[in-house]
Amino acid sequence: MRDTRIPLRTGAVPALLLAAAAVAAATAAATAAPAAGGTAPAAAGPDFQYVGQDDRVHGLTAPKGCVAAEGGGSRPVTNHTRGTATFYREPGCAGAPVERLGPGTVTPVRPYFASVRFSVTR
């Protein structure tokens, strides 16, 4: 009888799958139907999330101004802040912007970013 088992590899792929699941869960929570009483449920997790080049999920709650992207961002980004997130390749939000994401946007930012400036909202 032949052995048909497939060997499983560990490493970055399982971490990426977990990160993608976290982003999907955050998106689902943010787009859920309003609760009874007409108000939307509070989103679970941080207002801004991204998967870094270090394969870890990083999150910020109520970010303001220019923020360093710990782990070097490059993969899925979730912007559930009330303002626009502008991404830069250089630390300190220096140089030309790589990407701008409006509120409620979920997308990869390529090739990478080192800092993010959040617009001021009221």
Short mmCIF file of all heavy atoms in Angstrom, two decimals, residues 14-94:
data_model
loop_
_atom_site.label_atom_id
_atom_site.label_comp_id
_atom_site.label_asym_id
_atom_site.label_seq_id
_atom_site.Cartn_x
_atom_site.Cartn_y
_atom_site.Cartn_z
N PRO A 14 2.11 29.65 7.15
CA PRO A 14 1.08 29.64 8.17
C PRO A 14 0.89 31.01 8.82
O PRO A 14 -0.22 31.41 9.12
CB PRO A 14 1.58 28.60 9.19
CG PRO A 14 2.43 27.69 8.37
CD PRO A 14 3.09 28.59 7.36
N ALA A 15 1.97 31.74 9.02
CA ALA A 15 1.84 33.08 9.61
C ALA A 15 1.04 34.00 8.70
O ALA A 15 0.22 34.78 9.16
CB ALA A 15 3.22 33.66 9.89
N LEU A 16 1.27 33.90 7.39
CA LEU A 16 0.53 34.73 6.45
C LEU A 16 -0.94 34.35 6.43
O LEU A 16 -1.81 35.21 6.32
CB LEU A 16 1.11 34.60 5.05
CG LEU A 16 2.49 35.23 4.85
CD1 LEU A 16 3.01 34.93 3.45
CD2 LEU A 16 2.44 36.71 5.09
N LEU A 17 -1.24 33.07 6.53
CA LEU A 17 -2.63 32.64 6.57
C LEU A 17 -3.33 33.17 7.81
O LEU A 17 -4.47 33.61 7.75
CB LEU A 17 -2.72 31.12 6.51
CG LEU A 17 -2.28 30.49 5.19
CD1 LEU A 17 -2.30 28.97 5.29
CD2 LEU A 17 -3.16 30.95 4.06
N LEU A 18 -2.64 33.13 8.95
CA LEU A 18 -3.22 33.68 10.17
C LEU A 18 -3.44 35.19 10.04
O LEU A 18 -4.47 35.72 10.46
CB LEU A 18 -2.31 33.40 11.37
CG LEU A 18 -2.24 31.94 11.80
CD1 LEU A 18 -1.19 31.76 12.89
CD2 LEU A 18 -3.59 31.47 12.29
N ALA A 19 -2.49 35.89 9.45
CA ALA A 19 -2.62 37.33 9.27
C ALA A 19 -3.78 37.65 8.32
O ALA A 19 -4.55 38.57 8.58
CB ALA A 19 -1.32 37.91 8.73
N ALA A 20 -3.90 36.89 7.25
CA ALA A 20 -5.00 37.12 6.31
C ALA A 20 -6.34 36.87 6.98
O ALA A 20 -7.30 37.60 6.77
CB ALA A 20 -4.84 36.22 5.08
N ALA A 21 -6.40 35.85 7.85
CA ALA A 21 -7.63 35.57 8.59
C ALA A 21 -7.96 36.72 9.54
O ALA A 21 -9.12 37.09 9.70
CB ALA A 21 -7.50 34.26 9.36
N ALA A 22 -6.94 37.31 10.17
CA ALA A 22 -7.16 38.43 11.07
C ALA A 22 -7.69 39.64 10.31
O ALA A 22 -8.61 40.32 10.77
CB ALA A 22 -5.87 38.79 11.80
N VAL A 23 -7.13 39.91 9.14
CA VAL A 23 -7.60 41.03 8.32
C VAL A 23 -9.04 40.77 7.87
O VAL A 23 -9.89 41.66 7.91
CB VAL A 23 -6.67 41.26 7.12
CG1 VAL A 23 -7.28 42.25 6.13
CG2 VAL A 23 -5.32 41.77 7.60
N ALA A 24 -9.34 39.54 7.46
CA ALA A 24 -10.69 39.21 7.02
C ALA A 24 -11.69 39.35 8.17
O ALA A 24 -12.80 39.86 7.98
CB ALA A 24 -10.73 37.79 6.47
N ALA A 25 -11.30 38.94 9.38
CA ALA A 25 -12.18 39.06 10.53
C ALA A 25 -12.44 40.53 10.87
O ALA A 25 -13.57 40.91 11.19
CB ALA A 25 -11.58 38.34 11.74
N ALA A 26 -11.41 41.35 10.79
CA ALA A 26 -11.57 42.78 11.06
C ALA A 26 -12.49 43.42 10.02
O ALA A 26 -13.33 44.25 10.35
CB ALA A 26 -10.22 43.48 11.08
N THR A 27 -12.35 43.01 8.77
CA THR A 27 -13.19 43.55 7.71
C THR A 27 -14.64 43.12 7.92
O THR A 27 -15.56 43.93 7.77
CB THR A 27 -12.70 43.05 6.33
OG1 THR A 27 -11.34 43.46 6.17
CG2 THR A 27 -13.54 43.61 5.21
N ALA A 28 -14.85 41.86 8.27
CA ALA A 28 -16.20 41.37 8.50
C ALA A 28 -16.87 42.09 9.67
O ALA A 28 -18.04 42.44 9.61
CB ALA A 28 -16.18 39.86 8.76
N ALA A 29 -16.12 42.35 10.72
CA ALA A 29 -16.67 43.05 11.88
C ALA A 29 -17.05 44.47 11.52
O ALA A 29 -18.05 45.01 11.98
CB ALA A 29 -15.66 43.05 13.03
N ALA A 30 -16.25 45.11 10.68
CA ALA A 30 -16.50 46.50 10.31
C ALA A 30 -17.68 46.64 9.35
O ALA A 30 -18.33 47.67 9.32
CB ALA A 30 -15.26 47.11 9.69
N THR A 31 -17.95 45.60 8.56
CA THR A 31 -19.02 45.69 7.58
C THR A 31 -20.27 44.94 8.02
O THR A 31 -21.19 44.77 7.23
CB THR A 31 -18.55 45.13 6.22
OG1 THR A 31 -18.14 43.77 6.39
CG2 THR A 31 -17.41 45.97 5.65
N ALA A 32 -20.32 44.52 9.27
CA ALA A 32 -21.48 43.79 9.78
C ALA A 32 -22.71 44.70 9.78
O ALA A 32 -22.62 45.91 9.86
CB ALA A 32 -21.21 43.28 11.20
N ALA A 33 -23.87 44.10 9.70
CA ALA A 33 -25.12 44.86 9.70
C ALA A 33 -25.31 45.55 11.05
O ALA A 33 -24.85 45.05 12.08
CB ALA A 33 -26.28 43.91 9.43
N PRO A 34 -26.00 46.69 11.07
CA PRO A 34 -26.24 47.37 12.34
C PRO A 34 -26.98 46.49 13.32
O PRO A 34 -27.84 45.70 12.95
CB PRO A 34 -27.09 48.58 11.93
CG PRO A 34 -26.79 48.80 10.48
CD PRO A 34 -26.50 47.44 9.94
N ALA A 35 -26.67 46.67 14.60
CA ALA A 35 -27.32 45.90 15.66
C ALA A 35 -28.72 46.46 15.90
O ALA A 35 -29.07 47.53 15.42
CB ALA A 35 -26.48 46.00 16.94
N ALA A 36 -29.52 45.75 16.68
CA ALA A 36 -30.84 46.24 17.04
C ALA A 36 -30.69 47.59 17.71
O ALA A 36 -29.82 47.79 18.53
CB ALA A 36 -31.52 45.24 17.97
N GLY A 37 -31.52 48.51 17.36
CA GLY A 37 -31.39 49.85 17.91
C GLY A 37 -30.76 50.79 16.89
O GLY A 37 -30.64 51.98 17.13
N GLY A 38 -30.31 50.25 15.75
CA GLY A 38 -29.83 51.09 14.67
C GLY A 38 -28.38 51.53 14.73
O GLY A 38 -27.95 52.32 13.93
N THR A 39 -27.60 51.04 15.66
CA THR A 39 -26.19 51.44 15.72
C THR A 39 -25.33 50.29 15.27
O THR A 39 -25.63 49.13 15.53
CB THR A 39 -25.77 51.87 17.14
OG1 THR A 39 -25.98 50.76 18.02
CG2 THR A 39 -26.58 53.06 17.61
N ALA A 40 -24.24 50.60 14.62
CA ALA A 40 -23.31 49.57 14.16
C ALA A 40 -22.52 49.05 15.35
O ALA A 40 -22.20 49.79 16.27
CB ALA A 40 -22.36 50.15 13.12
N PRO A 41 -22.18 47.76 15.35
CA PRO A 41 -21.39 47.21 16.44
C PRO A 41 -19.98 47.79 16.41
O PRO A 41 -19.48 48.17 15.36
CB PRO A 41 -21.36 45.70 16.16
CG PRO A 41 -21.64 45.58 14.70
CD PRO A 41 -22.50 46.76 14.34
N ALA A 42 -19.35 47.86 17.57
CA ALA A 42 -17.98 48.36 17.65
C ALA A 42 -17.05 47.37 16.94
O ALA A 42 -17.19 46.16 17.10
CB ALA A 42 -17.56 48.52 19.11
N ALA A 43 -16.14 47.89 16.15
CA ALA A 43 -15.19 47.02 15.45
C ALA A 43 -14.22 46.41 16.45
O ALA A 43 -13.73 47.08 17.34
CB ALA A 43 -14.42 47.83 14.41
N ALA A 44 -14.00 45.13 16.29
CA ALA A 44 -13.06 44.44 17.16
C ALA A 44 -11.65 44.72 16.68
O ALA A 44 -11.38 44.67 15.49
CB ALA A 44 -13.34 42.95 17.15
N GLY A 45 -10.76 45.05 17.58
CA GLY A 45 -9.37 45.24 17.21
C GLY A 45 -9.04 46.70 16.95
O GLY A 45 -9.86 47.60 17.11
N PRO A 46 -7.80 46.91 16.51
CA PRO A 46 -7.32 48.27 16.29
C PRO A 46 -7.97 48.94 15.08
O PRO A 46 -8.53 48.29 14.21
CB PRO A 46 -5.82 48.08 16.06
CG PRO A 46 -5.60 46.64 15.87
CD PRO A 46 -6.81 45.90 16.30
N ASP A 47 -7.84 50.27 15.03
CA ASP A 47 -8.39 51.05 13.93
C ASP A 47 -7.57 50.89 12.65
O ASP A 47 -8.09 51.04 11.55
CB ASP A 47 -8.40 52.55 14.28
CG ASP A 47 -9.27 52.84 15.49
OD1 ASP A 47 -10.32 52.18 15.64
OD2 ASP A 47 -8.90 53.71 16.29
N PHE A 48 -6.29 50.60 12.80
CA PHE A 48 -5.38 50.48 11.66
C PHE A 48 -4.54 49.24 11.87
O PHE A 48 -3.93 49.07 12.92
CB PHE A 48 -4.50 51.73 11.58
CG PHE A 48 -3.54 51.72 10.44
CD1 PHE A 48 -3.96 52.07 9.17
CD2 PHE A 48 -2.22 51.36 10.62
CE1 PHE A 48 -3.07 52.06 8.10
CE2 PHE A 48 -1.33 51.34 9.57
CZ PHE A 48 -1.76 51.70 8.30
N GLN A 49 -4.52 48.36 10.88
CA GLN A 49 -3.75 47.12 10.97
C GLN A 49 -2.98 46.88 9.69
O GLN A 49 -3.44 47.25 8.61
CB GLN A 49 -4.67 45.91 11.16
CG GLN A 49 -5.02 45.59 12.56
CD GLN A 49 -5.79 44.28 12.62
OE1 GLN A 49 -6.83 44.14 12.02
NE2 GLN A 49 -5.26 43.33 13.34
N TYR A 50 -1.82 46.22 9.83
CA TYR A 50 -1.05 45.82 8.66
C TYR A 50 -0.19 44.63 9.02
O TYR A 50 0.10 44.38 10.18
CB TYR A 50 -0.18 46.96 8.13
CG TYR A 50 0.90 47.41 9.08
CD1 TYR A 50 2.18 46.90 9.00
CD2 TYR A 50 0.63 48.36 10.06
CE1 TYR A 50 3.18 47.32 9.88
CE2 TYR A 50 1.61 48.78 10.94
CZ TYR A 50 2.88 48.26 10.84
OH TYR A 50 3.85 48.66 11.71
N VAL A 51 0.19 43.87 8.00
CA VAL A 51 1.13 42.76 8.17
C VAL A 51 2.49 43.29 7.76
O VAL A 51 2.67 43.78 6.65
CB VAL A 51 0.74 41.54 7.32
CG1 VAL A 51 1.76 40.43 7.50
CG2 VAL A 51 -0.65 41.06 7.69
N GLY A 52 3.46 43.20 8.67
CA GLY A 52 4.79 43.71 8.40
C GLY A 52 5.65 42.73 7.62
O GLY A 52 5.30 41.57 7.44
N GLN A 53 6.80 43.21 7.19
CA GLN A 53 7.77 42.35 6.53
C GLN A 53 8.30 41.31 7.50
O GLN A 53 8.91 40.33 7.08
CB GLN A 53 8.90 43.19 5.95
CG GLN A 53 8.45 44.07 4.81
CD GLN A 53 9.54 45.02 4.35
OE1 GLN A 53 10.34 45.51 5.14
NE2 GLN A 53 9.58 45.27 3.05
N ASP A 54 8.04 41.50 8.78
CA ASP A 54 8.44 40.53 9.80
C ASP A 54 7.38 39.44 9.99
O ASP A 54 7.46 38.65 10.92
CB ASP A 54 8.71 41.25 11.13
CG ASP A 54 7.50 42.01 11.66
OD1 ASP A 54 6.43 42.00 11.00
OD2 ASP A 54 7.61 42.63 12.72
N ASP A 55 6.36 39.42 9.12
CA ASP A 55 5.26 38.43 9.15
C ASP A 55 4.42 38.51 10.41
O ASP A 55 3.76 37.54 10.77
CB ASP A 55 5.79 36.99 8.96
CG ASP A 55 6.32 36.76 7.57
OD1 ASP A 55 5.81 37.39 6.63
OD2 ASP A 55 7.27 35.96 7.42
N ARG A 56 4.40 39.65 11.07
CA ARG A 56 3.56 39.85 12.25
C ARG A 56 2.46 40.85 11.93
O ARG A 56 2.65 41.75 11.13
CB ARG A 56 4.40 40.36 13.42
CG ARG A 56 5.38 39.31 13.92
CD ARG A 56 6.23 39.79 15.07
NE ARG A 56 5.44 40.43 16.09
CZ ARG A 56 5.90 41.35 16.93
NH1 ARG A 56 7.16 41.74 16.86
NH2 ARG A 56 5.12 41.90 17.82
N VAL A 57 1.32 40.69 12.59
CA VAL A 57 0.23 41.66 12.44
C VAL A 57 0.48 42.78 13.44
O VAL A 57 0.70 42.53 14.63
CB VAL A 57 -1.14 41.00 12.71
CG1 VAL A 57 -2.25 42.03 12.64
CG2 VAL A 57 -1.38 39.87 11.72
N HIS A 58 0.48 44.03 12.95
CA HIS A 58 0.68 45.21 13.79
C HIS A 58 -0.60 46.02 13.76
O HIS A 58 -1.27 46.09 12.73
CB HIS A 58 1.84 46.05 13.25
CG HIS A 58 3.14 45.33 13.22
ND1 HIS A 58 4.01 45.33 14.28
CD2 HIS A 58 3.71 44.56 12.27
CE1 HIS A 58 5.07 44.61 13.99
NE2 HIS A 58 4.91 44.12 12.77
N GLY A 59 -0.95 46.63 14.87
CA GLY A 59 -2.18 47.42 14.93
C GLY A 59 -2.02 48.68 15.74
O GLY A 59 -1.22 48.72 16.69
N LEU A 60 -2.77 49.70 15.38
CA LEU A 60 -2.77 50.98 16.08
C LEU A 60 -4.21 51.38 16.37
O LEU A 60 -5.08 51.22 15.52
CB LEU A 60 -2.12 52.07 15.23
CG LEU A 60 -0.68 51.83 14.78
CD1 LEU A 60 -0.30 52.84 13.71
CD2 LEU A 60 0.25 51.93 15.97
N THR A 61 -4.45 51.90 17.56
CA THR A 61 -5.75 52.41 17.92
C THR A 61 -5.67 53.93 18.00
O THR A 61 -4.79 54.45 18.68
CB THR A 61 -6.22 51.82 19.26
OG1 THR A 61 -6.25 50.40 19.13
CG2 THR A 61 -7.59 52.33 19.65
N ALA A 62 -6.55 54.61 17.29
CA ALA A 62 -6.62 56.08 17.24
C ALA A 62 -5.27 56.72 16.90
O ALA A 62 -4.79 57.58 17.62
CB ALA A 62 -7.16 56.62 18.56
N PRO A 63 -4.63 56.30 15.79
CA PRO A 63 -3.34 56.90 15.42
C PRO A 63 -3.50 58.35 14.98
O PRO A 63 -4.53 58.73 14.42
CB PRO A 63 -2.87 56.03 14.26
CG PRO A 63 -4.13 55.50 13.66
CD PRO A 63 -5.10 55.34 14.80
N LYS A 64 -2.48 59.16 15.26
CA LYS A 64 -2.48 60.57 14.88
C LYS A 64 -1.12 60.97 14.35
O LYS A 64 -0.10 60.49 14.84
CB LYS A 64 -2.81 61.44 16.09
CG LYS A 64 -4.20 61.24 16.62
CD LYS A 64 -4.44 62.09 17.84
CE LYS A 64 -5.82 61.79 18.39
NZ LYS A 64 -6.07 62.46 19.65
N GLY A 65 -1.10 61.85 13.36
CA GLY A 65 0.15 62.36 12.82
C GLY A 65 0.95 61.29 12.10
O GLY A 65 0.40 60.35 11.54
N CYS A 66 2.28 61.42 12.15
CA CYS A 66 3.19 60.49 11.49
C CYS A 66 3.58 59.38 12.47
O CYS A 66 4.00 59.65 13.59
CB CYS A 66 4.44 61.22 11.01
SG CYS A 66 5.59 60.13 10.13
N VAL A 67 3.43 58.13 12.03
CA VAL A 67 3.71 56.98 12.87
C VAL A 67 4.67 56.04 12.14
O VAL A 67 4.49 55.77 10.95
CB VAL A 67 2.39 56.22 13.20
CG1 VAL A 67 2.66 54.98 14.03
CG2 VAL A 67 1.40 57.13 13.88
N ALA A 68 5.68 55.55 12.85
CA ALA A 68 6.61 54.57 12.28
C ALA A 68 5.89 53.23 12.10
O ALA A 68 5.09 52.83 12.94
CB ALA A 68 7.82 54.38 13.19
N ALA A 69 6.18 52.55 11.01
CA ALA A 69 5.60 51.24 10.72
C ALA A 69 6.54 50.17 11.27
O ALA A 69 7.47 49.76 10.58
CB ALA A 69 5.36 51.06 9.24
N GLU A 70 6.30 49.74 12.49
CA GLU A 70 7.14 48.71 13.09
C GLU A 70 7.07 47.45 12.23
O GLU A 70 6.01 47.07 11.77
CB GLU A 70 6.67 48.39 14.50
CG GLU A 70 6.88 49.51 15.49
CD GLU A 70 6.46 49.10 16.88
OE1 GLU A 70 6.60 47.92 17.24
OE2 GLU A 70 5.97 49.97 17.60
N GLY A 71 8.20 46.82 12.04
CA GLY A 71 8.24 45.60 11.24
C GLY A 71 8.24 45.85 9.75
O GLY A 71 8.29 44.92 8.97
N GLY A 72 8.17 47.11 9.32
CA GLY A 72 8.18 47.42 7.88
C GLY A 72 6.97 46.88 7.17
O GLY A 72 6.89 45.70 6.89
N GLY A 73 5.99 47.70 6.94
CA GLY A 73 4.75 47.26 6.32
C GLY A 73 4.90 46.97 4.85
O GLY A 73 5.65 47.63 4.15
N SER A 74 4.17 45.95 4.37
CA SER A 74 4.23 45.65 2.94
C SER A 74 3.06 44.83 2.45
O SER A 74 2.90 44.67 1.26
CB SER A 74 5.51 44.87 2.62
OG SER A 74 5.45 43.57 3.17
N ARG A 75 2.27 44.33 3.32
CA ARG A 75 1.21 43.41 2.88
C ARG A 75 -0.15 43.99 3.19
O ARG A 75 -0.31 45.19 3.18
CB ARG A 75 1.46 42.07 3.54
CG ARG A 75 2.80 41.50 3.06
CD ARG A 75 2.95 40.05 3.41
NE ARG A 75 4.29 39.65 3.14
CZ ARG A 75 5.18 39.34 4.07
NH1 ARG A 75 4.84 39.35 5.33
NH2 ARG A 75 6.39 38.99 3.75
N PRO A 76 -1.16 43.19 3.46
CA PRO A 76 -2.50 43.74 3.66
C PRO A 76 -2.55 44.84 4.72
O PRO A 76 -1.95 44.72 5.78
CB PRO A 76 -3.32 42.53 4.12
CG PRO A 76 -2.61 41.36 3.56
CD PRO A 76 -1.16 41.74 3.59
N VAL A 77 -3.28 45.90 4.40
CA VAL A 77 -3.46 47.03 5.29
C VAL A 77 -4.95 47.27 5.44
O VAL A 77 -5.70 47.23 4.47
CB VAL A 77 -2.80 48.31 4.71
CG1 VAL A 77 -3.08 49.51 5.58
CG2 VAL A 77 -1.30 48.10 4.55
N THR A 78 -5.39 47.50 6.67
CA THR A 78 -6.79 47.79 6.97
C THR A 78 -6.85 49.16 7.62
O THR A 78 -6.29 49.36 8.69
CB THR A 78 -7.39 46.73 7.92
OG1 THR A 78 -7.24 45.45 7.32
CG2 THR A 78 -8.85 47.00 8.18
N ASN A 79 -7.54 50.11 6.98
CA ASN A 79 -7.68 51.46 7.52
C ASN A 79 -9.12 51.68 7.96
O ASN A 79 -9.98 52.00 7.15
CB ASN A 79 -7.27 52.51 6.49
CG ASN A 79 -7.40 53.92 7.04
OD1 ASN A 79 -7.47 54.12 8.25
ND2 ASN A 79 -7.42 54.90 6.16
N HIS A 80 -9.38 51.49 9.25
CA HIS A 80 -10.71 51.75 9.80
C HIS A 80 -10.71 53.03 10.61
O HIS A 80 -11.55 53.21 11.48
CB HIS A 80 -11.19 50.56 10.65
CG HIS A 80 -11.57 49.38 9.81
ND1 HIS A 80 -12.60 49.40 8.90
CD2 HIS A 80 -11.04 48.15 9.72
CE1 HIS A 80 -12.69 48.24 8.30
NE2 HIS A 80 -11.75 47.46 8.77
N THR A 81 -9.75 53.91 10.33
CA THR A 81 -9.74 55.22 10.98
C THR A 81 -10.77 56.09 10.27
O THR A 81 -11.33 55.70 9.25
CB THR A 81 -8.36 55.89 10.90
OG1 THR A 81 -8.06 56.18 9.53
CG2 THR A 81 -7.27 54.99 11.49
N ARG A 82 -11.00 57.29 10.77
CA ARG A 82 -11.95 58.21 10.15
C ARG A 82 -11.30 59.04 9.05
O ARG A 82 -11.98 59.78 8.34
CB ARG A 82 -12.53 59.13 11.20
CG ARG A 82 -13.33 58.39 12.21
CD ARG A 82 -13.66 59.33 13.32
NE ARG A 82 -15.07 59.29 13.60
CZ ARG A 82 -15.65 60.06 14.47
NH1 ARG A 82 -14.96 60.98 15.11
NH2 ARG A 82 -16.93 59.95 14.70
N GLY A 83 -9.98 58.94 8.89
CA GLY A 83 -9.28 59.77 7.92
C GLY A 83 -8.45 58.97 6.94
O GLY A 83 -8.46 57.74 6.92
N THR A 84 -7.71 59.69 6.13
CA THR A 84 -6.84 59.09 5.12
C THR A 84 -5.50 58.71 5.73
O THR A 84 -4.96 59.45 6.53
CB THR A 84 -6.62 60.09 3.97
OG1 THR A 84 -7.89 60.41 3.40
CG2 THR A 84 -5.71 59.53 2.90
N ALA A 85 -4.99 57.55 5.33
CA ALA A 85 -3.66 57.10 5.73
C ALA A 85 -2.75 57.25 4.51
O ALA A 85 -3.05 56.73 3.44
CB ALA A 85 -3.69 55.65 6.20
N THR A 86 -1.65 58.00 4.66
CA THR A 86 -0.70 58.21 3.57
C THR A 86 0.60 57.49 3.92
O THR A 86 1.17 57.71 4.99
CB THR A 86 -0.43 59.72 3.37
OG1 THR A 86 -1.69 60.37 3.15
CG2 THR A 86 0.47 59.95 2.17
N PHE A 87 1.07 56.62 3.03
CA PHE A 87 2.21 55.75 3.28
C PHE A 87 3.48 56.29 2.62
O PHE A 87 3.44 56.74 1.48
CB PHE A 87 1.92 54.34 2.74
CG PHE A 87 0.72 53.72 3.38
CD1 PHE A 87 -0.55 53.98 2.91
CD2 PHE A 87 0.87 52.91 4.48
CE1 PHE A 87 -1.66 53.43 3.51
CE2 PHE A 87 -0.24 52.34 5.08
CZ PHE A 87 -1.50 52.60 4.60
N TYR A 88 4.61 56.14 3.34
CA TYR A 88 5.90 56.62 2.85
C TYR A 88 6.94 55.51 2.99
O TYR A 88 6.90 54.73 3.95
CB TYR A 88 6.37 57.82 3.68
CG TYR A 88 5.46 59.01 3.55
CD1 TYR A 88 4.35 59.14 4.37
CD2 TYR A 88 5.71 60.00 2.61
CE1 TYR A 88 3.50 60.24 4.25
CE2 TYR A 88 4.87 61.10 2.49
CZ TYR A 88 3.76 61.20 3.32
OH TYR A 88 2.92 62.28 3.20
N ARG A 89 7.89 55.45 2.05
CA ARG A 89 8.98 54.47 2.13
C ARG A 89 10.02 54.87 3.15
O ARG A 89 10.74 54.04 3.67
CB ARG A 89 9.63 54.29 0.77
CG ARG A 89 8.76 53.54 -0.18
CD ARG A 89 9.52 53.11 -1.42
NE ARG A 89 8.59 52.48 -2.32
CZ ARG A 89 8.51 52.74 -3.60
NH1 ARG A 89 9.33 53.61 -4.15
NH2 ARG A 89 7.62 52.14 -4.34
N GLU A 90 10.12 56.16 3.43
CA GLU A 90 11.13 56.67 4.36
C GLU A 90 10.55 56.84 5.76
O GLU A 90 9.37 57.17 5.90
CB GLU A 90 11.66 58.01 3.86
CG GLU A 90 12.27 57.97 2.47
CD GLU A 90 13.47 57.07 2.39
OE1 GLU A 90 14.27 57.04 3.34
OE2 GLU A 90 13.63 56.38 1.36
N PRO A 91 11.37 56.67 6.79
CA PRO A 91 10.92 56.96 8.15
C PRO A 91 10.58 58.44 8.28
O PRO A 91 11.08 59.28 7.52
CB PRO A 91 12.12 56.60 9.02
CG PRO A 91 12.98 55.71 8.17
CD PRO A 91 12.71 56.12 6.75
N GLY A 92 9.74 58.79 9.23
CA GLY A 92 9.39 60.17 9.48
C GLY A 92 8.50 60.79 8.41
O GLY A 92 8.45 62.01 8.28
N CYS A 93 7.82 59.97 7.64
CA CYS A 93 6.92 60.43 6.58
C CYS A 93 7.63 61.35 5.60
O CYS A 93 7.07 62.36 5.15
CB CYS A 93 5.68 61.09 7.19
SG CYS A 93 4.72 59.95 8.22
N ALA A 94 8.87 61.01 5.26
CA ALA A 94 9.67 61.81 4.34
C ALA A 94 9.57 61.25 2.93
O ALA A 94 9.31 60.06 2.74
CB ALA A 94 11.13 61.82 4.79
#
